[in-house]
Structures are given as structure tokens and as C-alpha cells.
Amino acid sequence: MKFEKKRIALIFNRRAEVYDRHAVIQQRMAHRIMQTLEENRVEAGSILELGCGTGYLTQLLSEYFPDAGLVGMDLSKKMVATARERTGNRVRYWVGDVEEEPLGKRCYDLIAANAVVHWLQNPESTLQRLVDALQPGGFLVLSVFGPDTLQELAWIYDAVEEEMGLPPSQRVGAFHSECEWIRLMEQAGISSPRFLQCWQRLPHPSAKDLLTAVQGMGAGGARIREHSISPMLEKRLIEEILQRYDRMWRDKDGVYATFQLIQVYGWKGIQHPMAKK
């Protein structure tokens, strides 16, 4: 496992116990995945869920497909342990990295991933492996964060770092647009993939509460520094970011953060039924 993946796994291990408390957006995305499966009348006897986390979507899938063989996979051991407590023996779990583990060929009728594939370091090759793991006519549905996610925090972070003369930190996650995900899905063998997207503002009492929530949901807003700075300078940086956020991104409910939510989905090797009309 590459160093950055180890770092991401460590972050999620630390947040496993508080993740559900802060993962409001991810839970909304999970319910929208279930709505898409219902709208498209997806049937599945074998299911793989990538990045199962604490098992929120896993539980929804197991209830909707009670007779299916369901496998949940995640990078974080503690997330998997939490998911297992939630679903019991109804689901088989697998701790591993989807970019490295063998997934097999034509093994699943449905592969779902909620708020995870934007962490992929090699999305092109990994999506191809996912489609290869689908049965002919199998269904792939992915929900991801778009490039506008946490744009307010990113903008202030970049501005303050530049003013303080600090080397820029790198935000974890490659947030691609819907067009890029559609292209990757088509290239991998999904016929006539479709997408949904929306922008949601999540309110918080203060910038400090927002940052706590972002940290609690895992690596969604994490920053990685190639060059370390002193704890005192890091404290100054965070204080300035929070003060500016409180001033600049405030409404009647407190401060807010933007999340761009994208869902892409389609069938392997068959045309989307709606495309025939």
C-alpha cells in the first residue's frame, strides 16, 4: 500500500467512532444511491460495496436485497469493525485497497461506491477493473464529491498560506467533474452512463464547528504538507483561517460549506433503457 493510502487509512481509523455523527452528506448520498437502484429496477444476487465505511449504505443494500450475497470492502480496519457491528453476519467484509486487491472477473451483478472513488490514485485502471468484475449487464453506481466541494475552505486556506509565505499544502482527494467521470465510465465499458449532481450548503454554528465536522467525516478536507512547519506556526495558520471563515462565509444560521455531489451510473455492455425512447 502506498504511503498516502496508509495515511488516509490512519485518518479513517481515528474517525471511525465519530464518523456517522458528522457524515450527514454521505448519508444523503447513500439514500440517493438507493433511489437510483429503485428507479432503474436493478436486480442483484451478488453485490460489492467499495469503501463501505461504517456500514450505512451496506445496511440499506442488505435490506433492499435481502437474498443477495453482499461484500463490503474498506481500507480501514476500524471502519470495517464498525460496519460489522451494524450488519452482523448478513455481510462479508474485506479489509483491502481496491486499487491493489484482485477483484475477479464477472463476479458481481452490482458494484456500488459511496463517497470513496474520488480517493483513487489511478481511477482509469481501477474503474476498468470494476467493470471487469461485473457480470454482463451488471450495474455500477458511484457517488463522489465534485470539484466545488469545500470551496470556501480551500480558497481561504490557499490565500492565508500564500500571505504567510508558506509552501502550499495539498488537499487530499482528486475531485473530478461529472464529465470526467462519465468519460472514465464509458472508457471502462459502461454503456450510456448517466449522472446526477447537486450543490448543497451545510450550516454550522462556527468555522471551528465546521472544521471539527470535516475532520470527523474523515479525509474530506484534510491537507497534506510535504514540508512540515512548527506547531506554533500551524496554530497561527488555523486561527487565521477560522477567523476569516467566520467573517466571510456567514449567514443567519452561522457559517456554511458547499458540497458538490455527483452520482454516475450505468450498465455494463447494454444501453440504458431510457436511451431507447
Side-chain angles (χ1 to χ4, degrees), residues 58-59 62-63 66 68-71 86-93:
T58 321
Q59 184 175 15
S62 69
E63 293 170 354
L70 176 55
V71 178
R86 173 177 251 143
T87 61
N89 296 326
R90 291 176 294 169
V91 179
R92 292 189 297 117
Y93 288 99

Side-chain angles (χ1 to χ4, degrees), residues 36 39-42 137-139 191-194 265-277:
T36 293
E39 289 171 350
N40 289 275
R41 300 179 183 179
V42 174
F139 194 81
S191 298
S192 304
R194 296 206 159 194
Y265 60 92
W267 283 266
K268 176 181 178 178
I270 63 173
Q271 189 181 38
H272 193 295
M274 297 299 292
K276 298 177 182 179
K277 298 182 179 181

Side-chain angles (χ1 to χ4, degrees), residues 221-232:
R223 291 274 181 155
I224 292 178
R225 291 191 179 280
E226 294 183 359
H227 306 286
S228 61
I229 61 177
S230 70
M232 184 176 296

Side-chain angles (χ1 to χ4, degrees), residues 6-18 74-82 95 218:
K6 289 183 178 180
R7 195 194 312 244
I8 292 173
L10 179 62
I11 292 172
F12 279 107
N13 279 335
R14 290 173 176 169
R15 304 300 178 184
E17 293 183 1
V18 300
D74 201 277
L75 199 63
S76 164
K77 292 181 180 180
K78 289 191 176 180
M79 285 286 195
V80 166
T82 303
V95 178

Side-chain angles (χ1 to χ4, degrees), residues 29-153:
M29 295 164 80
H31 284 284
R32 192 59 187 83
I33 283 178
M34 299 308 302
Q35 188 175 340
T36 293
L37 296 177
E38 183 177 359
E39 289 171 350
N40 289 275
R41 300 179 183 179
V42 174
E43 299 179 358
S46 55
I47 304 169
L48 172 63
E49 183 197 351
L50 304 175
C52 63
T54 60
Y56 191 90
L57 174 60
T58 321
Q59 184 175 15
L60 296 177
L61 289 168
S62 69
E63 293 170 354
Y64 189 79
F65 299 100
D67 299 322
L70 176 55
V71 178
M73 182 180 185
D74 201 277
L75 199 63
S76 164
K77 292 181 180 180
K78 289 191 176 180
M79 285 286 195
V80 166
T82 303
R84 187 176 282 114
E85 289 179 4
R86 173 177 251 143
T87 61
N89 296 326
R90 291 176 294 169
V91 179
R92 292 189 297 117
Y93 288 99
W94 181 6
V95 178
D97 182 355
V98 65
E99 297 195 84
E100 297 183 2
E101 301 285 354
L103 301 178
K105 301 286 185 180
R106 301 186 176 187
C107 298
Y108 302 101
D109 301 312
L110 166 64
I111 296 178
N114 183 35
V116 63
V117 297
H118 40 246
W119 309 131
L120 295 177
Q121 294 178 345
N122 300 292
E124 185 171 344
S125 60
T126 304
L127 281 182
Q128 183 63 66
R129 294 173 65 242
L130 294 181
V131 174
D132 289 344
L134 281 174
Q135 296 275 8
F139 194 81
L140 176 63
V141 56
L142 312 173
S143 67
V144 297
F145 292 138
D148 291 342
T149 296
L150 295 172
Q151 59 185 356
E152 301 90 352
L153 184 60

